[in-house]
Amino acid sequence: GTNAEFAPFEYINDDGECDGFDIGLIKAILSEAGYDCEVVNMEFKSLIGSLTTGGIDVTIAGMTITDERKQSVDFSTPYYTATQCIIVPIGSDITSLDDLNGRKVAVQEGTTGDLIVTPSDTNEIITDKNTVVKQFKKASDATVELLNGGVDAVVIDSSPAKKIVAANESKLTCFNDTSEEEYAIACRKGSDLAAKINELMDGMKADGSLQALADKYSLTLAE
Ligand code: ARG
């Protein structure tokens, strides 16, 4: 299961198929483990539920390891380190996460970016309850909202943020102001797949094939 709205990790290619670093990684691992692999594209926020109920057996979706998610799934060892980025129009007065207090922010629903900016009892940075968080199913729709002036910023992971800014370089810029996050593959709790995935991923790290895959998708593995 994935959510192909997160280039370069997963996106729909010109042939209409799910493609990207994550897709290449999981295909390599599962074929090595002797499994057939069918990629199911769904909303990001549905992935963990689908995994726990057996609709899918593995999730790879640039998914950050969080304590809350760890209660529902088993994560593999991490394969990528990211931060959250704040995308703003060039010339914006927003220069820190704190500056988002009381502003309008677009995020992809259910992501760590969403958690970071949504006011809650546990959010120590965004304390202004007037902060408006607009949740989108697709990062591309959040970007359009920013370009149309409907929000003041988009908060999204560093790697897709760089791609979005590169595609709109005369209008948008981004900066990061959060701690690091780690992406991992998620399996159903108690499944023996996670150990197998770790073993095969270690092999891919050691023999250079993980790096080759990163090169193919112009991804820098150590940021
Ligand atoms: N790393 C963030 C998270 O785990 C965002 C991931 C979004 N991935 C996607 N395929 N849409 O919440």
Side-chain angles (χ1 to χ4, degrees):
T2 195
N3 169 254
E5 287 293 336
F6 201 66
F9 293 92
E10 45 268 332
Y11 55 92
I12 302 294
N13 68 18
D14 293 341
D15 299 326
E17 282 161 8
C18 285
D19 199 351
F21 175 82
D22 282 353
I23 309 301
L25 177 59
I26 198 66
K27 282 188 175 163
I29 289 175
L30 291 181
S31 86
E32 188 67 29
Y35 290 102
D36 288 335
C37 169
E38 182 196 344
V39 181
V40 187
N41 188 19
M42 62 179 79
E43 286 179 16
F44 184 77
K45 65 160 195 194
S46 304
L47 286 166
I48 289 193
S50 183
L51 189 57
T52 50
T53 56
I56 52 175
D57 299 302
V58 177
T59 293
I60 187 158
M63 186 178 278
T64 302
I65 302 174
T66 70
D67 287 341
E68 201 195 336
R69 290 174 183 163
K70 267 201 234 166
Q71 296 181 3
S72 326
V73 300
D74 286 346
F75 281 106
S76 70
T77 50
Y79 61 86
Y80 186 78
T81 303
T83 60
Q84 291 298 308
C85 271
I86 299 151
I87 308 178
V88 290
I90 290 171
S92 165
D93 59 351
I94 296 171
T95 57
S96 71
L97 200 55
D98 200 57
D99 287 342
L100 296 178
N101 269 295
R103 308 296 288 264
K104 292 192 188 121
V105 191
V107 295
Q108 199 184 10
E109 188 176 21
T111 61
T112 40
D114 187 356
L115 283 176
I116 284 172
V117 295
T118 299
S120 76
D121 295 343
T122 50
N123 193 333
E124 287 165 12
I125 297 164
I126 306 300
T127 49
D128 185 335
K129 298 276 189 280
N130 295 318
T131 308
V132 176
V133 178
K134 295 192 184 177
Q135 296 169 317
F136 292 88
K137 308 237 180 280
K138 303 178 176 194
S140 51
D141 291 342
T143 307
V144 169
E145 186 75 359
L146 178 63
L147 289 168
N148 289 341
V151 289
D152 304 302
V154 170
V155 178
I156 191 167
D157 299 47
S158 38
S159 197
K162 280 181 200 144
K163 272 205 161 303
I164 290 167
V165 169
N168 298 281
E169 61 180 0
S170 63
K171 294 176 185 148
L172 303 178
T173 181
C174 73
F175 61 91
N176 48 294
D177 188 20
T178 62
S179 51
E180 290 187 338
E181 305 183 359
E182 291 193 303
Y183 295 175
I185 301 169
C187 302
R188 213 164 7 262
K189 263 213 165 309
S191 135
D192 44 14
L193 210 50
K196 189 80 201 158
I197 287 174
N198 284 344
E199 185 192 320
L200 294 171
M201 197 154 63
D202 282 350
M204 288 181 72
K205 283 177 185 166
D207 72 9
S209 50
L210 194 77
Q211 185 58 52
L213 197 59
D215 293 345
K216 177 174 173 194
Y217 292 101
S218 309
L219 190 67
T220 310
L221 280 181
E223 293 243 326

